[in-house]
Amino acid sequence: MNIERLKDKIIIHDPQDFNVEQTLNCGQIFRYQIDDNHAQVCSKDKFAELYTYPDRIEIISSDLDYFYNFFDFERDYSIIKKELTKDEFLFPAVKYGYGIRILNNDPYEMIISFIISANNNIGRIKRSIEYLCSHFGKNMGKYFAFPTLDELKSVTIEDYKNAGLGYRAEQMYETVQTLTIDALDNLKSVSRTEQLNYLVSLKGIGEKVANCILLFGLGAKDVFPVDTWINKVYNNLTKSNEHDREKITRELTARYGNLSGFAQQYFFYYYRENKIKV
DNA sequence: GCCCAGGGATGCG
DNA sequence: CGCATCCATGGG
């Protein structure tokens, strides 16, 4: 794989470590659209278009620097995959999702998005977030920006219910009122323990959602968010019927160490796409 | 009608 | 502390 950074586009030649569909469909992002070989991706107030050809992928955006980092192009995924395919459990999952990359998304957007994700399904999560963007975010012409914290501050519980948040509407309202720009900035520079403590202190955020925010928004790769799918993964691999998610988190984090976040995404995508049950 | 979805909050012992 | 129950909503 060779990444060519041009003035008006990024070209990924021979993309063995990047697949658009896999990267977008593995549950880490909700603001995107794929039709055939063309995809549109939003993050914050930014927008990119991706074209997949037989021999290359081209990325076009008015902010290529942002999306170069967003798609994690500084990292060599071939090394990660080589290490993780040594694991017998993970081998088929890495083969299947060979082109997954973990996005460097905006922590504030991840906080809002993953509060919505709790006990929810991806289709509904996408719809709710689209609703928030189109009703409360800035109209950018071809798309809507993610609503800023300031914009969300004036959104009511009733608005959140209209967005389909259900019982999460009150949690969202309270967390939005609690959040400040300073606290969000501060979150990027404090220790892991302080990040986790702060996130869990917010309404609607427990251990799993906090780990998703750390993984997708704050660059932490040694975390292993355990949702219903990962619960199935664990029970399938260990032939057990465990429901203690803290225990599952501990064991999987211990097994995959500083590559936990990658392992988690390969597992999640493989099991969910193939509807593998216990 | 039941079960499930990238779980979390709350109350009870 | 562990554990059970409840929580909106829509698709399968």
Side-chain angles (χ1 to χ4, degrees):
Chain A
M1 189 164 108
N2 174 32
I3 302 167
E4 189 179 4
R5 174 73 163 84
L6 299 177
K7 234 174 205 171
D8 58 335
K9 65 173 85 169
I10 299 168
I11 304 178
I12 299 96
H13 298 279
D14 193 16
Q16 304 160 15
D17 307 325
F18 183 36
N19 179 284
V20 176
E21 189 263 334
Q22 292 172 13
T23 296
L24 298 181
N25 277 339
C26 67
Q28 57 178 326
I29 180 171
F30 306 105
R31 298 174 61 211
Y32 69 93
Q33 201 169 354
I34 304 176
D35 42 292
D36 296 326
N37 295 327
H38 173 236
Q40 298 173 300
V41 179
C42 297
S43 173
K44 301 172 71 172
D45 58 347
K46 302 175 189 305
F47 176 79
E49 296 193 85
L50 296 89
Y51 296 88
T52 299
Y53 301 107
D55 61 332
R56 69 189 189 283
I57 297 166
E58 296 193 359
I59 303 176
I60 298 170
S61 171
S62 60
D63 197 340
L64 286 178
D65 285 338
Y66 182 81
F67 284 101
Y68 192 93
N69 175 64
F70 185 79
F71 287 107
D72 208 23
F73 287 136
E74 292 292 342
R75 196 186 308 273
D76 186 350
Y77 279 69
S78 69
I79 298 170
I80 294 164
K81 290 189 290 182
K82 188 174 179 183
E83 183 65 27
L84 290 180
T85 46
K86 292 177 186 169
D87 185 273
E88 56 169 322
F89 291 163
L90 212 37
F91 182 84
V94 175
K95 286 296 171 197
Y96 184 77
Y98 68 92
I100 290 174
R101 305 182 75 85
I102 297 187
L103 304 172
N104 294 119
N105 217 327
D106 177 54
Y108 157 71
E109 186 169 332
M110 293 299 97
I111 288 173
I112 303 302
S113 300
F114 278 91
I115 287 174
I116 299 172
S117 79
N119 195 26
N120 208 340
N121 62 63
I122 290 178
R124 292 191 70 243
I125 299 164
K126 287 180 71 169
R127 256 180 287 149
S128 290
I129 293 174
E130 278 312 309
Y131 185 99
L132 293 182
C133 292
S134 60
H135 285 72
F136 310 113
K138 186 179 175 190
N139 188 341
M140 306 295 285
K142 297 175 70 173
Y143 64 103
F144 289 93
F146 196 84
T148 63
L149 178 58
D150 203 45
E151 286 166 339
L152 282 192
K153 290 275 189 191
S154 58
V155 173
T156 66
I157 293 176
E158 205 53 37
D159 290 330
Y160 288 128
K161 288 190 174 174
N162 289 333
L165 296 207
Y167 64 84
R168 306 169 199 84
E170 287 87 353
Q171 300 171 350
M172 184 66 81
Y173 179 81
E174 198 172 326
T175 288
V176 166
Q177 298 310 316
T178 304
L179 283 175
T180 62
I181 300 291
D182 281 352
L184 289 168
D185 284 343
N186 190 42
L187 191 58
K188 297 169 187 169
S189 56
V190 298
S191 71
R192 171 66 56 79
T193 308
E194 290 178 275
Q195 289 178 325
L196 197 56
N197 287 343
Y198 178 72
L199 291 171
V200 172
S201 78
L202 299 171
K203 281 288 187 298
I205 301 182
E207 186 183 4
K208 187 269 174 184
V209 167
N211 280 329
C212 282
I213 296 164
L214 287 170
L215 176 59
F216 304 133
L218 290 162
K221 298 298 188 281
D222 57 342
V223 293
F224 208 115
V226 176
D227 71 327
T228 66
W229 288 103
I230 297 299
N231 201 153
K232 289 181 181 115
V233 170
Y234 180 89
N235 285 335
N236 209 318
L237 298 179
T238 63
K239 304 193 185 310
S240 58
N241 188 24
E242 186 61 61
H243 293 291
D244 183 345
R245 292 197 177 182
E246 279 194 48
K247 178 187 175 190
I248 296 173
T249 305
R250 274 199 308 278
E251 291 190 17
L252 292 176
T253 308
R255 184 179 178 97
Y256 296 107
N258 60 357
L259 296 180
S260 291
F262 302 102
Q264 196 269 2
Q265 281 305 96
Y266 293 122
F267 272 136
F268 177 85
Y269 182 70
Y270 181 58
Y271 271 65
R272 183 169 178 273
E273 289 290 315
N274 293 294
K275 306 184 193 310
I276 299 174
K277 297 179 181 177
V278 183

